[in-house]
Amino acid sequence: RRSLGGKLIRIGLTDKRKLQFSNFTDLTQLKNAYIYVDQFRNLQDLIAASILSCYIPLGTGPVNSEDQKNSAVKRATKRVKEMEQLGFVKCGITGRPLVEINSTSTQGKPSQLSAKQDNTCCYLDGGLVENWPIIDKNTVVITPINGNYDPNPYIAPYMQVDKLSLVLPPTVKASDRALVGINKDNLEAFARMLRSSDDQILEKYFQAGYDDARKFLEQNNMIQIHDVTV
């Protein structure tokens, strides 16, 4: 129930019930809204969590998730709410199931987070509050955004100096562990995260990701290269 092909699957989400306007002035407070799913009853559970982890209002979907045309988000929300009650949805900080945390904090009273049992979408893209989640020191950060993600190993595009870097600081602190590059490449990458690209652009990014991953594996002696003569 936790894996596919023997590998752990963890899907990050943002719990918008915990988002407050004041949180956006303090990066550390944003982590309170980060949750994840790592247990699934079946493939439909996995698909539902994946749909919501890609949901960005005004980006990949409408602002109002209850729009009649947005039936996929409605169905996914209903299923993930069921998973939350089963203890499959967990706090990103402590790893405890939300249903346990809510029960403990309310001491038998109806929880504000689960009192409304309808199809109102309360789960969004986890990257809105935590773009680079770390499980442990061995977690490899994989991102299309160039920057510095030490001390964890990471796979990211090369950070090049351009005109923006000459007039602005080269990096900006995006989280407690990420220094993101300020450059044209990252501006384009952020813009493409919010809207779909055509097949040519997607193929370009796929190839770049493949090349970066292969280079990382080779540098860390995690892949064997065999010469093949035809």
Side-chain angles (χ1 to χ4, degrees):
R1 297 195 317 187
R2 293 172 180 265
S3 64
L4 186 67
K7 302 297 183 181
L8 175 70
I9 297 176
R10 177 181 288 196
I11 297 177
L13 299 167
T14 294
D15 188 342
K16 75 175 185 180
R17 298 166 296 186
K18 296 182 181 179
L19 282 179
Q20 298 177 1
F21 181 76
S22 59
N23 285 0
F24 291 93
T25 62
D26 185 352
L27 292 177
T28 60
Q29 290 301 312
L30 287 178
K31 286 189 175 181
N32 292 329
Y34 180 72
I35 59 177
Y36 66 86
V37 187
D38 68 349
Q39 289 179 261
F40 311 91
R41 295 167 294 183
N42 47 44
L43 182 60
Q44 285 68 36
D45 280 358
L46 181 64
I47 293 173
S50 298
I51 288 173
L52 295 178
S53 78
C54 300
Y55 186 82
I56 304 174
L58 273 182
T60 57
V63 175
N64 180 14
S65 59
E66 299 312 299
D67 191 306
Q68 290 184 357
K69 297 179 181 179
N70 202 10
S71 58
V73 171
K74 284 185 179 181
R75 292 193 300 270
T77 297
K78 182 179 179 181
R79 182 171 282 271
V80 174
K81 282 188 174 181
E82 292 175 359
M83 296 163 67
E84 180 176 327
Q85 294 304 308
L86 292 170
F88 295 176
V89 183
K90 297 168 183 175
C91 172
I93 298 176
T94 66
R96 290 180 60 199
L98 291 190
V99 66
E100 287 184 10
I101 297 173
N102 300 338
S103 176
T104 301
S105 63
T106 55
Q107 297 181 346
K109 298 178 182 179
S111 168
Q112 291 181 351
L113 295 184
S114 59
K116 196 172 183 181
Q117 298 297 330
D118 56 21
N119 289 342
T120 302
C121 181
C122 50
Y123 312 102
L124 303 173
D125 178 10
L128 295 175
V129 294
E130 177 57 279
N131 246 314
W132 303 279
I134 299 296
I135 298 176
D136 56 36
K137 66 179 181 179
N138 296 315
T139 299
V140 179
V141 177
I142 302 174
T143 174
I145 304 298
N146 62 61
N148 190 328
Y149 304 93
D150 290 335
N152 282 75
Y154 60 89
I155 300 173
Y158 177 72
M159 185 165 58
Q160 301 185 39
V161 176
D162 59 19
K163 292 181 180 179
L164 284 178
S165 304
L166 297 177
V167 296
L168 295 172
T171 60
V172 61
K173 188 174 183 179
S175 74
D176 59 352
R177 68 176 67 88
L179 291 174
V180 171
I182 301 179
N183 49 62
K184 181 182 177 182
D185 289 343
N186 276 353
L187 290 178
E188 290 181 356
F190 277 119
R192 295 195 183 282
M193 287 181 185
L194 298 176
R195 55 187 301 179
S196 297
S197 301
D198 58 36
D199 291 345
Q200 261 189 329
I201 297 296
L202 292 176
E203 182 63 30
K204 173 187 172 183
Y205 275 96
F206 174 84
Q207 188 61 49
Y210 177 88
D211 293 341
D212 288 339
R214 185 180 180 87
K215 181 179 179 182
F216 173 87
L217 294 173
E218 291 174 356
Q219 290 175 340
N220 289 274
N221 297 318
M222 299 171 69
I223 187 173
Q224 292 183 340
I225 306 299
H226 300 281
D227 292 328
V228 178
T229 303
V230 179

